[in-house]
Amino acid sequence: MRPARLSAVAAATTVAALTAVTGCTEKGSSAGSDRVVRVTATDDKCEVSKKEFPAGHVELAVENKGSKVTEVYILFPDDRIVTERENIGPGTKQTVTAEVKAGDYTIACKPGMKGDGIRQSVKVTGGSAAKRDPRLDKAVAAYREYVQQQADETLPLAEKFAAAVKAGDVEAAKKAYAPSRIGWERTEPVAESFGDIDPKVDVREDGLEDGQDPATDWTGWHRLEKALWKDKKIGDREKELAGRLITDLKDWQNRVGKAEITPTSMANGAKELLDEVATGKVTGEEERYSHTDLVDFKANVEGAQKAYELLKPVAQANEPALATELDRQFAELNARLDKFRADKESYEFTSYDKVGDADRKQLSDGVNALAEPLSKLAAAVVVK
């Protein structure tokens, strides 16, 4: 899920960590100057260097001159997400490569990572999309099949979880909770691209928008997680929310096959999954009641690795050193995670509240080491 607004202390810590994680580009643009849009974000402005640019690959050169952590999006007119970059710390720069067709779009900056953001309308001109290696078309088709498979496999697991909640069986619901989330966590950037599903099923209490009431507006897995582990009881409201969760996940299942997917969105999505780990799983904030963070962590890494493996033939041809580094960093991070796993075939991980500070730092270091080269993957699959 998208992280909630950070406190001043957390923001300072996140900025320091994510400067390494995001792989900011300072050495110039990989795209032609007509395809670079400079985005300057402050606490009350979102300035863009141009409001019209050609279809194909575009590079957002983002600089956060504000005092708050921000996010930057390219949005379709109906608010579906073309691409995004979260957790852009004050005083930092990031570069995001995306693929866009001709049409009208919005570039949005979200200081504090809340609300609809400060928006600028932009126009993409020309009738042709980016040139694409046929191997990338194959990668997109395979990834589309993968995300649909994950949604299809999630439903029966979520239904088992919901059935236990409806039956009032706290222990059975606890056991079914983490497995029901694996497919979602592997492919979360695709679900987030729709805009409206993630807040229904995966928001934490502190991720609610200003003015929302947790008693009536908080829904989804984490609301039920709190009931099971903190409140230790299931009432009528929880039983109702279990049914709503299945309704929302079926909506996701039905829509996921129609998601806009491009090679660059796959690459950026892989990076987003690592950011999810850095800001939620490593900190223990995501599963603060169940402490099943390492299950989510592993699923995020698996989803990122799947996208990379599908894009690897082109990335390796264009940037062989990058592919070698990504292979190494994925292997090292998976090895660190396996230390906390019952066996390599299971999803039984050590409860995260039992993982000490030194081990958490090792995991965090592994995430940072992988996220830096992963941030370069989108540019590596652009036609040279």
Side-chain angles (χ1 to χ4, degrees):
M1 61 153 287
R2 291 188 180 92
R5 179 185 286 121
L6 304 177
S7 68
V9 173
T13 303
T14 299
V15 170
L18 290 180
T19 298
V21 171
T22 50
C24 304
T25 300
E26 300 269 3
K27 297 180 181 179
S29 168
S30 61
S33 60
D34 62 332
R35 296 188 180 279
V36 177
V37 179
R38 303 196 179 280
V39 181
T40 304
T42 68
D43 294 347
D44 55 10
K45 293 181 181 178
C46 185
E47 298 176 343
V48 297
S49 62
K50 60 187 68 173
K51 295 191 175 183
E52 188 172 305
F53 44 89
H57 289 108
V58 61
E59 187 173 285
L60 298 185
V62 183
E63 181 174 8
N64 183 4
K65 292 186 175 181
S67 64
K68 301 175 182 178
V69 177
T70 195
E71 303 172 340
V72 172
Y73 296 77
I74 300 178
L75 300 169
F76 290 102
D78 61 0
D79 270 11
R80 286 177 299 122
I81 298 170
V82 178
T83 195
E84 65 179 304
R85 183 57 54 87
E86 302 175 357
N87 296 299
I88 305 171
T92 65
K93 298 178 181 180
Q94 294 190 32
T95 299
V96 188
T97 301
E99 185 177 328
V100 288
K101 300 176 182 177
D104 295 322
Y105 297 87
T106 298
I107 293 177
C109 306
K110 293 188 179 182
M113 302 194 296
K114 285 277 191 174
D116 292 334
I118 304 162
R119 300 184 169 212
Q120 295 280 4
S121 297
V122 296
K123 188 176 190 64
V124 178
T125 59
S128 61
K131 292 180 180 179
R132 186 182 292 174
D133 187 312
R135 292 174 295 178
L136 294 177
D137 289 326
K138 182 178 179 181
V140 168
Y143 188 68
R144 189 179 297 281
E145 183 178 336
Y146 172 73
V147 296
Q148 185 67 64
Q149 177 189 38
Q150 294 305 307
D152 292 345
E153 291 178 356
T154 293
L155 256 295
L157 295 171
E159 287 170 341
K160 181 178 180 180
F161 169 64
V165 174
K166 290 179 180 179
D169 191 334
V170 171
E171 292 308 313
K174 285 182 175 181
K175 187 174 180 180
Y177 172 77
S180 76
R181 291 176 47 74
I182 293 170
W184 172 272
E185 291 290 339
R186 285 173 177 157
T187 60
E188 190 169 3
V190 178
E192 287 185 344
S193 72
F194 298 114
D196 61 335
I197 297 178
D198 181 80
K200 294 177 182 177
V201 306
D202 199 34
V203 72
R204 303 192 303 255
E205 184 173 9
D206 54 355
L208 294 172
E209 295 292 337
D210 294 339
Q212 287 188 304
D213 183 351
T216 56
D217 299 321
W218 188 19
T219 62
W221 270 302
H222 293 302
R223 167 63 176 80
L224 295 169
E225 177 203 6
K226 180 177 182 289
L228 294 170
W229 273 273
K230 185 177 182 181
D231 302 335
K232 297 180 171 54
K233 62 183 180 180
I234 296 171
D236 290 342
R237 175 61 173 167
E238 287 72 35
K239 293 177 183 180
E240 175 193 346
L241 291 176
R244 187 181 301 184
L245 174 65
I246 299 306
T247 298
D248 292 333
L249 289 175
K250 285 181 177 178
D251 183 25
W252 164 54
Q253 180 189 31
N254 291 334
R255 282 202 266 170
V256 74
K258 305 178 185 68
E260 294 278 345
I261 297 174
T262 65
T264 54
S265 75
M266 290 169 59
N268 289 329
K271 172 65 171 59
E272 288 166 32
L273 285 170
L274 265 291
D275 286 350
E276 288 274 343
V277 175
T279 59
K281 281 68 174 185
V282 166
T283 62
E285 293 177 65
E286 178 81 359
E287 305 290 357
R288 60 190 63 176
Y289 307 112
S290 66
H291 305 299
T292 56
D293 303 87
L294 290 178
V295 178
D296 293 357
F297 190 144
K298 180 64 175 177
N300 285 158
V301 173
E302 286 178 336
Q305 190 164 8
K306 179 67 174 182
Y308 162 62
E309 293 290 349
L310 291 172
L311 296 170
K312 182 178 174 179
V314 173
Q316 193 167 44
N318 289 341
E319 301 286 351
L322 177 64
T324 298
E325 179 67 6
L326 285 169
D327 287 341
R328 184 173 73 85
Q329 294 296 347
F330 269 116
E332 290 188 5
L333 182 55
N334 279 312
R336 293 185 191 203
L337 272 170
D338 285 344
K339 287 173 53 180
F340 305 98
R341 199 174 187 181
D343 61 72
K344 290 187 178 181
E345 302 302 320
S346 80
Y347 265 81
E348 293 182 20
F349 283 86
T350 302
S351 180
Y352 202 56
D353 58 333
K354 307 298 183 186
V355 177
D357 290 344
D359 285 327
R360 290 190 183 202
K361 184 179 186 305
Q362 282 197 349
L363 289 170
S364 179
D365 289 346
V367 171
N368 292 350
L370 171 58
E372 193 280 325
L374 196 59
S375 69
K376 302 174 183 177
L377 181 59
V381 298
V382 172
V383 174
K384 302 298 183 181

